[in-house]
């Protein structure tokens, strides 16, 4: 790993932090307030998945937390089979109990790091990944994960990301970091803003929208789309072609 990436939190540290944070991720109405436009991006990604895959039978929620994205998806397509992956067992247990009440489909929980977890091939109509992929460190890790998601989707299936992003221009990073700082100060004051910036510095290695859309194309997604962007947060995704060349 590069020296900067070595200083970042380990998987065990990330898991320990989220183990303590189940309540904060269990609010369906507000989503996570540190994420700008969290309720809107949850609505847009699941609405996009519904419009492309209205007859979906099976979804995969990566970094499911307490299950908010899957619950929102079930509000649009009932009785899906739901596979929920997370590092944190307390998150998964909360997600299983919340999701299990809302679907007559199968609910499977998988505890693990998405980088190491093997996925079945051509099983899912929809894959959702919200506020999780920014924990991937190396470009090669991002490629490994995008490739396995592509293979895990059925032909015609779709993959939707809502996440913290960076910009390819340093000047734009500065601009949008300032705007995000102002948003956090308004939400919780200067100490809260500093706390959030400190854990982003310690824990996160986000990539730009361009990087992720280009990677989607490289692994085989044909159509990609940006659904929303506000400062350092965006929602976007890709569709797996129905027939492969
Ligand atoms: C910020 S929370 C988001 C939860 C949920 N997606 C939401 O938007 O409400 C991120 C979740 O991803 C999980 N996570 C972090 N890194 C992960 C990894 N490498 N593999 C699987 N899950 C991971 C954390 O344990 C946490 O529950």
């Amino acid at each position: 790993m590069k020296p900067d990436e070595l200083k970042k939190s380990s998987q065990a540290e990330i898991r320990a932090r989220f183990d303590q944070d189940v309540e904060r991720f269990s609010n369906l109405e507000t989503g996570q307030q540190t994420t700008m436009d969290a309720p809107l991006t949850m609505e847009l990604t699941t609405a996009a998945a519904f419009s492309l895959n209205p007859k979906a039978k099976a979804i995969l929620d990566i970094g499911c937390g307490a299950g908010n994205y899957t619950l929102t998806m079930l509000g649009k397509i009932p009785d899906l089979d739901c596979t929920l992956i997370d590092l944190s067992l307390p998150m998964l247990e909360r997600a299983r109990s919340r999701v299990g009440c809302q679907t007559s489909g199968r609910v499977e929980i998988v505890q693990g790091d998405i980088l190491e977890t093997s996925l079945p091939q051509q099983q899912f109509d929809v894959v959702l990944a919200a506020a999780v992929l920014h924990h991937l460190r190396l470009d090669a890790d991002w490629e490994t994960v995008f490739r396995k998601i592509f293979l895990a989707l059925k032909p015609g299936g779709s993959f939707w990301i809502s996440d913290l992003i960076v910009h390819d221009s340093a000047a734009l990073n500065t601009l949008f970091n300032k705007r995000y700082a102002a948003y956090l100060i308004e939400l919780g004051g200067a100490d809260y803003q500093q706390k959030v910036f400190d854990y982003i510095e310690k824990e996160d290695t986000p990539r730009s929208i361009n990087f992720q859309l280009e990677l989607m194309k490289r692994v085989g997604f044909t159509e990609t789309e940006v659904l929303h962007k506000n400062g350092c947060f965006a929602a976007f995704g890709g569709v797996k072609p129905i027939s492969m060349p």
Side-chain angles (χ1 to χ4, degrees), residues 82-106:
C82 303
T83 303
L84 311 170
I85 297 181
D86 205 284
L87 280 177
S88 160
L89 193 56
M91 285 285 193
L92 283 167
E93 280 166 351
R94 177 66 64 88
R96 177 164 55 190
S97 99
R98 292 170 85 215
V99 168
C101 305
Q102 298 299 325
T103 182
S104 61
R106 191 178 43 82

Side-chain angles (χ1 to χ4, degrees), residues 170-189:
L172 291 181
N173 272 334
T174 306
L175 168 69
F176 289 118
N177 281 343
K178 275 192 195 147
R179 292 176 69 89
Y180 185 37
Y183 167 85
L184 291 170
I185 290 168
E186 174 91 23
L187 190 65

